[in-house]
Amino acid sequence: MKYLLTLNRFDLDKNLLIEKLRKFGNVNEDNKRLVLECNTDINNLRKIQEINDIYTIGVDFRELRNYQEFNKDILDFVKKIMGKSFFVRTKFLSKIPISSKSIIKRINSLLKKEDMYFKEQNAEINIYTEFKKESNRIFYRICLMNKKEILDSDLSRFIVILEKPGSVIEISDFLRLCWIFKISLYIIDENNDKFQFLFNKAKKMTKGIPYEKMEISIVKDFPKNFVLVGFSKNANLSEKKLSDILNQSRRIALVFGDEKFGLTQDSRDKLDYCVHLTPELKKPLRASHALSYVLGFYAQKKIT
């Protein structure tokens, strides 16, 4: 089996990493990545922290003489893998007069004729193709993107509500967390010029998030049909009750106030529950830290 290995961007000694990998098989450098030929279980490679992504090479670099051969290689490659849903990503290692959109469109059309369907997230088959040019000839490689094991804590029951945020950092932290955990974000504010200035600046701070795929709502009041769970250092309920609260069958809104002043009186009166987090009584968590704490608490309960 041949694997294409991309590396994490932290400090590493590539020579030491190559020595580690030679215990498994033959290693070669490939455009700042590594290619490993071995028979080891892929989970053994995942234990090596320097490795980011692992791609199983199905078709190693082959000259693109015509698209009929490319199409056949794609079909032969996919037929070896069980699954009906697919996702495609492509990369060019050299400047080539071919667009990634055209390659993805070609593969999509080809596989849909095989009664398969495109799925952007959690597809059963993740196809990775890359192209390079050498001596005026174009070559392609076809790989399987191996999924990393990730925690699925079923957070679809939750939304996050942030009331009247007062700083750019506060908003950007919530944007980042809600994107990472795929949770809808509701911000209670007047949506005036002052808020829009802070909001737009926060979005610039968190560049890289595809906001068109994220559910963000600017509202004037709490959405209906949610259990409203707020957090305050002055709350009477301790986090001992949090597990029972979060595991209700109804949808839950996690409600946080401005980091300086907390939730308003009006909002506190509407809450179904208000919970105190951590043993600290005087110095509260920042709102984004509190959200991270609650999500970690919920995930830990699901794992154990």
Side-chain angles (χ1 to χ4, degrees), residues 195-211:
F195 170 77
Q196 280 298 324
F197 174 78
L198 295 176
F199 185 61
N200 290 331
K201 204 166 182 181
K203 289 172 74 173
K204 287 182 180 178
M205 284 184 67
T206 51
K207 61 181 180 180
I209 294 177
Y211 287 105

Side-chain angles (χ1 to χ4, degrees), residues 86-97:
F86 67 93
F87 176 74
V88 183
R89 185 158 67 88
T90 191
K91 183 175 182 178
F92 296 97
L93 305 178
S94 313
K95 288 186 177 181
I96 296 171

